[in-house]
Amino acid sequence: AGEFAGNAQQWGDSAAAGAQHIYQEAATKGAEVVNNVTARGQEIASEAAARGADVAATIQEAASNISPTINEKGDELRDKIEAARQRIADQVAKNADADADAAEIVKDVAETAKEAAKDAAATAEEGAKETAAEVKEAAGEVAKAAEGKKDEK
């Protein structure tokens, strides 16, 4: 039994030492992997920055080659835009004159309509007076006739 206990003690110590060794190896490997990944990431970032600088230089070169053409085209476009603005201004002025003429016509029509309405009102008033006189006269005749019937009874 003592020998068994001693062997068990020795196996436990051996297992603990083995576990410690495995942990240290895993930690070392993990650190190596992290260092490798970090280094590769920095390398990729540096390559991307270099490519970006190359692309930016290429774009800058192309832009400087295109710039004179753009300026010439820009001058042409500015001239066309200015001409279009002038045509629009002329049309607006022409439309304003037409609107003023239309407003004058509307004013004249409104004045004519106002006079016609006055004439119609005067005619209606005259007609109403005549009708009122006729109604008054008829009412007087009815009243006389009614009085005559009253006297006969």
Side-chain angles (χ1 to χ4, degrees):
E3 185 181 332
F4 182 72
N7 284 340
Q9 179 68 35
Q10 192 177 22
W11 287 336
D13 290 341
S14 178
Q20 182 67 28
H21 179 68
I22 290 171
Y23 171 76
Q24 286 175 350
E25 281 187 28
T28 302
K29 279 287 186 191
E32 285 178 26
V33 168
V34 168
N35 289 338
N36 288 342
V37 168
T38 302
R40 183 63 183 142
Q42 289 174 345
E43 185 179 315
I44 289 171
S46 296
E47 288 174 8
R51 283 188 198 136
D54 289 345
V55 169
T58 302
I59 290 171
Q60 182 62 37
E61 182 181 339
S64 64
N65 291 341
I66 292 172
S67 185
T69 304
I70 289 174
N71 286 338
E72 290 170 12
K73 296 284 184 187
D75 291 341
E76 288 176 29
L77 287 174
R78 278 187 208 89
D79 292 343
K80 288 179 181 180
I81 290 169
E82 189 56 40
R85 285 182 179 148
Q86 187 59 49
R87 285 192 305 271
I88 291 169
D90 293 345
Q91 187 63 44
V92 167
K94 186 177 175 183
N95 291 350
D97 289 342
D99 288 347
D101 292 343
E104 189 64 34
I105 290 169
V106 168
K107 182 180 172 187
D108 291 345
V109 168
E111 189 64 36
T112 303
K114 181 179 172 185
E115 289 173 14
K118 278 184 186 178
D119 291 344
T123 302
E125 184 180 0
E126 224 175 88
K129 285 180 183 178
E130 288 175 10
T131 302
E134 290 172 4
V135 167
K136 186 176 179 182
E137 185 179 321
E141 290 174 12
V142 169
K144 282 183 189 178
E147 237 180 74
K149 292 270 187 187
K150 192 179 185 184
D151 290 338
E152 288 178 10
K153 288 185 180 186

